Amino acid sequence: MKYDKISVKAGGEATNTDTTIAKNIRVADEKASYDAACKRLLSEKIILAWIMKNCLEEYRDCDVEEIAEKYIEGTPQVGEVAVAADETNRVSMIQGAGNEDTSLTEGTVTYDIRFFAIAPVSGELIRLIINIEAQNDFYPGYPLIKRGIYYCSRMISAQYGTEFTNSHYENIKKVYSIWICMNPPKSRENSITRYYIAEENLVGSVKERKADYDLMAAVMICLGKEGDSGTDLLKLLNVLLSTETGSQDKCQILEEDFHIRMTQTLESEVSLMCNLSKGVEEKGKIYGAITAYKDVMLSEDVIIKKLKEKFRVTEEAAKIYLKEVEKA
Protein backbone atom coordinates (compact mmCIF):
# COMPACT_ATOMS: atom_id res chain seq x y z
CA MET A 1 0.00 0.00 0.00
CA LYS A 2 1.76 3.17 -1.22
CA TYR A 3 0.78 6.82 -0.89
CA ASP A 4 3.90 8.55 -2.16
CA LYS A 5 2.35 10.31 -5.16
CA ILE A 6 -0.96 12.04 -4.49
CA SER A 7 -2.28 14.84 -6.67
CA VAL A 8 -3.98 17.61 -4.73
CA LYS A 9 -5.15 21.14 -5.48
CA ALA A 10 -4.35 23.86 -2.99
CA GLY A 11 -5.40 27.42 -3.71
CA GLY A 12 -5.97 26.48 -7.36
CA GLU A 13 -2.49 25.07 -8.01
CA ALA A 14 -1.87 21.35 -8.66
CA THR A 15 1.05 19.85 -6.78
CA ASN A 16 2.70 16.44 -6.30
CA THR A 17 4.21 15.39 -3.03
CA ASP A 18 6.75 12.70 -2.07
CA THR A 19 6.62 13.29 1.68
CA THR A 20 3.89 15.08 3.60
CA ILE A 21 1.31 17.16 1.78
CA ALA A 22 1.02 19.70 4.57
CA LYS A 23 4.47 21.19 3.83
CA ASN A 24 3.63 21.90 0.20
CA ILE A 25 0.13 23.37 0.27
CA ARG A 26 -0.35 27.07 0.87
CA VAL A 27 -0.20 27.89 4.57
CA ALA A 28 -3.41 29.89 4.56
CA ASP A 29 -5.36 27.03 2.98
CA GLU A 30 -4.32 24.19 5.33
CA LYS A 31 -7.49 24.10 7.42
CA ALA A 32 -9.78 24.57 4.41
CA SER A 33 -7.99 21.79 2.53
CA TYR A 34 -8.32 19.45 5.54
CA ASP A 35 -12.06 20.17 5.85
CA ALA A 36 -12.56 19.56 2.13
CA ALA A 37 -10.66 16.26 2.31
CA CYS A 38 -12.79 15.21 5.30
CA LYS A 39 -16.00 15.92 3.38
CA ARG A 40 -14.81 14.03 0.31
CA LEU A 41 -13.93 11.03 2.47
CA LEU A 42 -17.35 11.05 4.13
CA SER A 43 -18.99 11.29 0.68
CA GLU A 44 -17.65 7.87 -0.34
CA LYS A 45 -20.74 5.72 -0.96
CA ILE A 46 -19.64 2.89 1.33
CA ILE A 47 -19.15 5.36 4.22
CA LEU A 48 -22.53 6.98 3.52
CA ALA A 49 -24.09 3.50 3.47
CA TRP A 50 -22.79 2.77 6.99
CA ILE A 51 -24.28 6.06 8.22
CA MET A 52 -27.61 5.38 6.50
CA LYS A 53 -27.95 1.84 7.87
CA ASN A 54 -27.32 2.94 11.44
CA CYS A 55 -29.21 6.26 11.46
CA LEU A 56 -32.11 6.00 8.99
CA GLU A 57 -34.99 3.67 9.74
CA GLU A 58 -35.58 3.02 6.04
CA TYR A 59 -32.30 1.10 5.75
CA ARG A 60 -32.04 -0.83 9.01
CA ASP A 61 -32.83 -4.15 7.36
CA CYS A 62 -30.50 -3.61 4.38
CA ASP A 63 -26.88 -4.69 4.01
CA VAL A 64 -24.30 -1.93 3.82
CA GLU A 65 -23.08 -3.10 0.39
CA GLU A 66 -26.67 -3.21 -0.88
CA ILE A 67 -27.26 0.39 0.22
CA ALA A 68 -24.06 1.62 -1.44
CA GLU A 69 -24.65 -0.19 -4.73
CA LYS A 70 -28.43 -0.04 -5.08
CA TYR A 71 -29.97 2.84 -3.16
CA ILE A 72 -27.62 5.86 -3.38
CA GLU A 73 -28.36 7.74 -6.59
CA GLY A 74 -25.61 9.21 -8.74
CA THR A 75 -22.59 10.96 -7.23
CA PRO A 76 -23.00 12.86 -3.92
CA GLN A 77 -22.58 16.62 -4.23
CA VAL A 78 -19.86 18.01 -1.97
CA GLY A 79 -19.99 21.66 -0.89
CA GLU A 80 -21.87 22.72 -4.03
CA VAL A 81 -25.54 23.10 -3.13
CA ALA A 82 -26.49 26.43 -1.57
CA VAL A 83 -28.69 26.55 1.53
CA ALA A 84 -29.85 30.18 1.23
CA ALA A 85 -33.34 30.80 -0.11
CA ASP A 86 -32.11 32.92 -3.05
CA GLU A 87 -29.61 30.24 -4.06
CA THR A 88 -31.90 27.27 -4.75
CA ASN A 89 -30.97 23.63 -4.96
CA ARG A 90 -31.64 23.58 -8.68
CA VAL A 91 -27.97 23.50 -9.67
CA SER A 92 -26.00 21.32 -12.05
CA MET A 93 -24.59 18.06 -10.69
CA ILE A 94 -20.96 18.47 -9.58
CA GLN A 95 -18.66 15.48 -9.18
CA GLY A 96 -17.46 15.56 -5.59
CA ALA A 97 -16.37 12.13 -4.41
CA GLY A 98 -13.53 11.48 -6.80
CA ASN A 99 -10.27 13.36 -7.33
CA GLU A 100 -11.80 16.80 -7.92
CA ASP A 101 -11.45 19.43 -5.22
CA THR A 102 -14.39 20.60 -3.19
CA SER A 103 -15.48 24.14 -4.04
CA LEU A 104 -14.83 26.44 -1.07
CA THR A 105 -17.16 29.35 -1.83
CA GLU A 106 -16.81 32.43 0.32
CA GLY A 107 -19.97 34.26 1.30
CA THR A 108 -22.24 31.30 0.49
CA VAL A 109 -23.44 28.69 2.98
CA THR A 110 -23.56 25.27 1.36
CA TYR A 111 -24.50 21.78 2.43
CA ASP A 112 -21.33 19.78 3.12
CA ILE A 113 -22.59 16.68 1.31
CA ARG A 114 -25.98 16.30 -0.35
CA PHE A 115 -27.33 13.31 -2.25
CA PHE A 116 -30.52 11.50 -3.23
CA ALA A 117 -31.35 7.96 -2.16
CA ILE A 118 -34.10 5.44 -2.84
CA ALA A 119 -35.48 3.44 0.07
CA PRO A 120 -37.70 0.34 -0.08
CA VAL A 121 -40.73 1.00 2.13
CA SER A 122 -43.96 -1.03 1.94
CA GLY A 123 -43.04 -2.29 -1.50
CA GLU A 124 -42.65 1.25 -2.85
CA LEU A 125 -39.56 3.16 -3.86
CA ILE A 126 -39.41 6.50 -2.04
CA ARG A 127 -36.79 9.12 -2.77
CA LEU A 128 -35.01 10.62 0.19
CA ILE A 129 -32.95 13.81 0.10
CA ILE A 130 -30.11 13.54 2.61
CA ASN A 131 -27.37 15.92 3.64
CA ILE A 132 -24.36 15.16 5.84
CA GLU A 133 -22.56 17.89 7.80
CA ALA A 134 -19.16 17.55 9.48
CA GLN A 135 -18.96 19.95 12.44
CA ASN A 136 -15.85 20.73 14.50
CA ASP A 137 -17.37 23.38 16.77
CA PHE A 138 -20.30 22.08 18.84
CA TYR A 139 -20.95 25.56 20.29
CA PRO A 140 -20.80 27.97 17.31
CA GLY A 141 -23.01 30.52 19.09
CA TYR A 142 -26.35 28.78 18.49
CA PRO A 143 -27.84 25.28 19.05
CA LEU A 144 -26.64 23.00 16.25
CA ILE A 145 -29.93 21.11 16.24
CA LYS A 146 -31.77 24.31 15.22
CA ARG A 147 -29.46 24.61 12.23
CA GLY A 148 -30.14 20.97 11.38
CA ILE A 149 -33.90 21.56 11.44
CA TYR A 150 -33.45 24.70 9.32
CA TYR A 151 -31.51 22.67 6.75
CA CYS A 152 -34.35 20.12 6.68
CA SER A 153 -36.85 22.92 6.12
CA ARG A 154 -34.76 24.35 3.29
CA MET A 155 -34.43 20.96 1.61
CA ILE A 156 -38.23 20.64 1.67
CA SER A 157 -39.02 24.16 0.44
CA ALA A 158 -36.40 23.86 -2.32
CA GLN A 159 -38.37 20.93 -3.78
CA TYR A 160 -40.97 23.34 -5.16
CA GLY A 161 -40.51 23.48 -8.90
CA THR A 162 -38.42 20.30 -9.01
CA GLU A 163 -40.22 17.56 -7.06
CA PHE A 164 -43.66 19.20 -7.03
CA THR A 165 -45.51 22.18 -8.50
CA ASN A 166 -48.70 24.10 -7.75
CA SER A 167 -50.60 22.29 -4.95
CA HIS A 168 -49.20 18.80 -5.46
CA TYR A 169 -47.81 18.53 -1.94
CA GLU A 170 -48.29 14.77 -2.06
CA ASN A 171 -45.04 14.64 -4.07
CA ILE A 172 -42.85 16.15 -1.34
CA LYS A 173 -39.91 13.86 -0.57
CA LYS A 174 -38.63 13.08 2.92
CA VAL A 175 -35.38 14.78 3.96
CA TYR A 176 -32.66 14.05 6.51
CA SER A 177 -29.98 16.32 7.92
CA ILE A 178 -27.21 14.30 9.58
CA TRP A 179 -24.51 16.02 11.66
CA ILE A 180 -21.20 14.39 12.55
CA CYS A 181 -19.78 16.30 15.52
CA MET A 182 -16.08 15.65 16.05
CA ASN A 183 -15.58 17.69 19.23
CA PRO A 184 -18.78 17.37 21.29
CA PRO A 185 -19.02 17.98 25.04
CA LYS A 186 -18.24 14.93 27.20
CA SER A 187 -21.93 14.49 28.07
CA ARG A 188 -22.68 13.81 24.39
CA GLU A 189 -19.62 11.80 23.38
CA ASN A 190 -20.31 8.56 21.47
CA SER A 191 -24.02 9.20 21.08
CA ILE A 192 -26.49 9.18 18.18
CA THR A 193 -29.72 11.17 18.60
CA ARG A 194 -32.64 11.56 16.18
CA TYR A 195 -35.17 14.43 16.11
CA TYR A 196 -38.29 13.91 14.02
CA ILE A 197 -42.01 14.69 13.55
CA ALA A 198 -44.36 12.39 15.47
CA GLU A 199 -48.14 12.16 15.73
CA GLU A 200 -49.71 12.94 19.13
CA ASN A 201 -53.43 12.85 19.84
CA LEU A 202 -54.39 15.65 22.25
CA VAL A 203 -58.12 14.91 21.97
CA GLY A 204 -59.63 11.84 20.38
CA SER A 205 -57.89 8.93 18.69
CA VAL A 206 -56.95 9.29 15.03
CA LYS A 207 -54.31 7.69 12.87
CA GLU A 208 -52.84 9.61 9.97
CA ARG A 209 -50.72 7.82 7.39
CA LYS A 210 -47.15 8.16 8.70
CA ALA A 211 -45.71 8.92 5.27
CA ASP A 212 -47.84 12.10 5.10
CA TYR A 213 -46.19 13.79 8.10
CA ASP A 214 -42.90 11.93 8.59
CA LEU A 215 -41.10 14.25 6.19
CA MET A 216 -37.99 15.40 8.04
CA ALA A 217 -35.52 14.23 10.64
CA ALA A 218 -32.27 15.61 12.01
CA VAL A 219 -29.65 13.21 13.40
CA MET A 220 -26.74 14.21 15.64
CA ILE A 221 -23.77 11.82 15.65
CA CYS A 222 -21.36 12.81 18.41
CA LEU A 223 -17.96 11.14 18.33
CA GLY A 224 -15.62 10.43 21.23
CA LYS A 225 -12.63 8.24 22.05
CA GLU A 226 -12.13 5.23 19.80
CA GLY A 227 -12.01 2.75 22.67
CA ASP A 228 -15.28 3.96 24.17
CA SER A 229 -17.36 3.67 20.98
CA GLY A 230 -20.60 1.81 21.60
CA THR A 231 -21.75 0.89 18.07
CA ASP A 232 -20.10 -0.15 14.84
CA LEU A 233 -20.89 3.22 13.21
CA LEU A 234 -19.30 5.19 16.04
CA LYS A 235 -16.25 2.92 15.94
CA LEU A 236 -16.00 3.39 12.18
CA LEU A 237 -16.27 7.19 12.27
CA ASN A 238 -13.95 7.52 15.27
CA VAL A 239 -11.28 5.56 13.39
CA LEU A 240 -11.91 7.29 10.08
CA LEU A 241 -11.72 10.83 11.49
CA SER A 242 -9.06 10.20 14.12
CA THR A 243 -6.09 12.59 14.07
CA GLU A 244 -3.94 10.06 15.93
CA THR A 245 -4.33 6.91 13.79
CA GLY A 246 -2.07 6.74 10.72
CA SER A 247 -3.37 6.17 7.19
CA GLN A 248 -2.08 2.60 6.85
CA ASP A 249 -3.59 1.61 10.20
CA LYS A 250 -6.89 3.23 9.21
CA CYS A 251 -7.00 1.38 5.90
CA GLN A 252 -6.22 -1.92 7.65
CA ILE A 253 -8.95 -1.38 10.28
CA LEU A 254 -11.52 -0.36 7.65
CA GLU A 255 -10.72 -3.46 5.61
CA GLU A 256 -10.45 -6.03 8.39
CA ASP A 257 -13.00 -4.81 10.96
CA PHE A 258 -15.61 -3.24 8.67
CA HIS A 259 -15.05 -5.22 5.45
CA ILE A 260 -14.69 -2.03 3.41
CA ARG A 261 -12.87 -2.73 0.17
CA MET A 262 -10.07 -0.19 -0.14
CA THR A 263 -10.27 1.25 -3.64
CA GLN A 264 -7.48 3.46 -4.93
CA THR A 265 -9.69 6.54 -4.49
CA LEU A 266 -10.63 5.66 -0.91
CA GLU A 267 -7.02 4.87 0.02
CA SER A 268 -5.89 8.20 -1.45
CA GLU A 269 -8.58 10.16 0.43
CA VAL A 270 -7.66 8.46 3.74
CA SER A 271 -3.99 9.20 3.19
CA LEU A 272 -4.64 12.78 2.12
CA MET A 273 -6.77 13.56 5.16
CA CYS A 274 -4.21 12.02 7.52
CA ASN A 275 -1.39 14.06 6.02
CA LEU A 276 -3.45 17.25 6.11
CA SER A 277 -4.43 16.64 9.73
CA LYS A 278 -0.74 16.50 10.59
CA GLY A 279 -0.34 19.86 8.90
CA VAL A 280 -3.21 21.37 10.88
CA GLU A 281 -1.77 19.96 14.11
CA GLU A 282 1.68 21.31 13.26
CA LYS A 283 0.17 24.71 12.53
CA GLY A 284 -1.42 24.75 15.99
CA LYS A 285 1.96 24.05 17.58
CA ILE A 286 3.52 26.90 15.61
CA TYR A 287 0.76 29.29 16.71
CA GLY A 288 1.37 28.28 20.32
CA ALA A 289 5.11 28.88 19.98
CA ILE A 290 4.57 32.33 18.43
CA THR A 291 2.22 33.31 21.27
CA ALA A 292 4.82 32.19 23.82
CA TYR A 293 7.59 34.12 22.04
CA LYS A 294 5.46 37.26 21.92
CA ASP A 295 4.65 36.93 25.63
CA VAL A 296 8.36 37.29 26.44
CA MET A 297 8.63 40.29 24.10
CA LEU A 298 10.88 38.75 21.44
CA SER A 299 11.30 40.77 18.25
CA GLU A 300 9.79 39.62 14.95
CA ASP A 301 13.22 38.81 13.49
CA VAL A 302 14.07 36.60 16.46
CA ILE A 303 10.66 34.88 16.32
CA ILE A 304 11.07 34.15 12.61
CA LYS A 305 14.56 32.75 13.20
CA LYS A 306 13.31 30.49 16.01
CA LEU A 307 10.40 29.22 13.89
CA LYS A 308 12.78 28.35 11.05
CA GLU A 309 15.06 26.44 13.41
CA LYS A 310 12.42 24.65 15.48
CA PHE A 311 9.82 23.82 12.83
CA ARG A 312 12.00 23.85 9.70
CA VAL A 313 9.72 26.21 7.82
CA THR A 314 10.79 28.75 5.22
CA GLU A 315 11.18 32.42 6.12
CA GLU A 316 8.16 33.26 3.98
CA ALA A 317 5.99 30.69 5.76
CA ALA A 318 7.21 31.91 9.18
CA LYS A 319 6.17 35.47 8.28
CA ILE A 320 2.72 34.28 7.22
CA TYR A 321 2.25 32.39 10.49
CA LEU A 322 3.33 35.48 12.44
CA LYS A 323 0.87 37.73 10.58
CA GLU A 324 -1.99 35.25 11.16
CA VAL A 325 -1.34 35.24 14.92
CA GLU A 326 -1.19 39.04 14.98
CA LYS A 327 -4.55 39.28 13.18
CA ALA A 328 -6.25 36.85 15.57
Side-chain angles (χ1 to χ4, degrees):
M1 195 177 293
K2 296 182 68 177
Y3 305 103
D4 52 349
K5 283 284 185 180
I6 301 171
S7 178
V8 65
K9 289 184 178 180
E13 299 177 0
T15 64
N16 284 322
T17 178
D18 295 318
T19 54
T20 60
I21 297 173
K23 291 183 180 179
N24 291 317
I25 62 176
R26 288 173 55 190
V27 172
D29 285 345
E30 284 177 348
K31 183 64 169 64
S33 297
Y34 171 76
D35 290 344
C38 177
K39 294 169 189 177
R40 285 198 305 270
L41 185 56
L42 289 173
S43 74
E44 287 285 335
K45 285 189 176 182
I46 191 64
I47 304 301
L48 293 175
W50 270 92
I51 295 172
M52 292 162 68
K53 178 175 177 59
N54 286 270
C55 297
L56 313 187
E57 58 183 349
E58 289 84 357
Y59 300 95
R60 284 175 186 165
D61 296 327
C62 300
D63 293 327
V64 172
E65 292 79 9
E66 179 186 10
I67 297 171
E69 295 173 3
K70 187 175 180 180
Y71 295 122
I72 297 176
E73 289 192 320
T75 302
Q77 297 165 294
V78 183
E80 295 293 340
V81 183
V83 177
D86 58 344
E87 298 159 359
T88 70
N89 292 344
R90 294 189 291 275
V91 298
S92 60
M93 193 66 140
I94 304 294
Q95 298 292 320
N99 292 324
E100 297 181 20
D101 273 341
T102 300
S103 174
L104 302 169
T105 308
E106 292 185 1
T108 299
V109 178
T110 59
Y111 299 112
D112 278 1
I113 303 165
R114 200 196 72 155
F115 63 101
F116 295 87
I118 297 174
V121 180
S122 302
E124 299 179 59
L125 291 180
I126 299 176
R127 289 186 76 194
L128 303 174
I129 303 173
I130 304 166
N131 91 286
I132 306 285
E133 299 286 326
Q135 185 72 20
N136 276 310
D137 186 2
F138 195 84
Y139 296 110
Y142 53 82
L144 274 181
I145 185 57
K146 285 193 174 184
R147 184 174 171 185
I149 292 171
Y150 170 72
Y151 277 23
C152 284
S153 302
R154 277 296 304 131
M155 284 189 287
I156 285 182
S157 64
Q159 292 180 46
Y160 185 82
T162 56
E163 300 295 335
F164 75 99
T165 57
N166 299 323
S167 298
H168 290 287
Y169 300 107
E170 72 277 6
N171 293 325
I172 294 176
K173 304 300 186 292
K174 184 175 181 179
V175 302
Y176 279 96
S177 182
I178 303 173
W179 293 73
I180 300 172
C181 304
M182 289 174 274
N183 293 298
K186 285 194 175 295
S187 60
R188 297 201 62 158
E189 284 184 352
N190 288 317
S191 66
I192 302 175
T193 311
R194 179 167 61 103
Y195 304 86
Y196 60 98
I197 299 174
E199 183 179 65
E200 179 184 7
N201 283 299
L202 302 181
V203 178
S205 179
V206 299
K207 193 73 175 177
E208 187 69 39
R209 198 169 73 107
K210 185 179 179 181
D212 291 337
Y213 62 83
D214 183 28
L215 294 176
M216 68 166 68
V219 179
M220 306 290 286
I221 304 173
C222 296
L223 306 185
K225 294 181 180 179
E226 292 179 38
D228 299 333
S229 305
T231 68
D232 285 343
L233 176 63
L234 289 171
K235 291 177 183 176
L236 170 63
L237 293 176
N238 278 325
V239 168
L240 192 67
L241 302 176
S242 171
T243 58
E244 299 175 359
T245 306
S247 60
Q248 291 192 359
D249 289 337
K250 283 187 181 184
C251 289
Q252 183 176 349
I253 293 171
L254 293 177
E255 211 160 23
E256 294 180 359
D257 294 358
F258 299 98
H259 310 292
I260 294 176
R261 186 171 61 88
M262 299 307 297
T263 63
Q264 184 176 357
T265 298
L266 187 53
E267 288 181 0
S268 296
E269 292 294 353
V270 170
S271 178
L272 174 60
M273 196 187 74
C274 286
N275 281 311
L276 287 169
S277 69
K278 292 177 184 176
V280 173
E281 184 180 0
E282 183 75 0
K283 189 173 182 178
K285 292 178 181 178
I286 293 174
Y287 281 173
I290 292 174
T291 302
Y293 295 150
K294 291 177 73 67
D295 285 344
V296 295
M297 307 297 288
L298 294 183
S299 67
E300 288 191 3
D301 290 340
V302 173
I303 292 176
I304 291 171
K305 182 180 179 181
K306 285 184 173 292
L307 293 179
K308 289 168 62 178
E309 293 174 351
K310 183 173 182 178
F311 297 101
R312 296 182 180 179
V313 296
T314 64
E315 184 170 341
E316 181 183 1
K319 289 179 179 179
I320 293 175
Y321 284 126
L322 187 58
K323 287 180 180 179
E324 288 181 349
V325 171
E326 289 173 348
K327 289 179 181 178

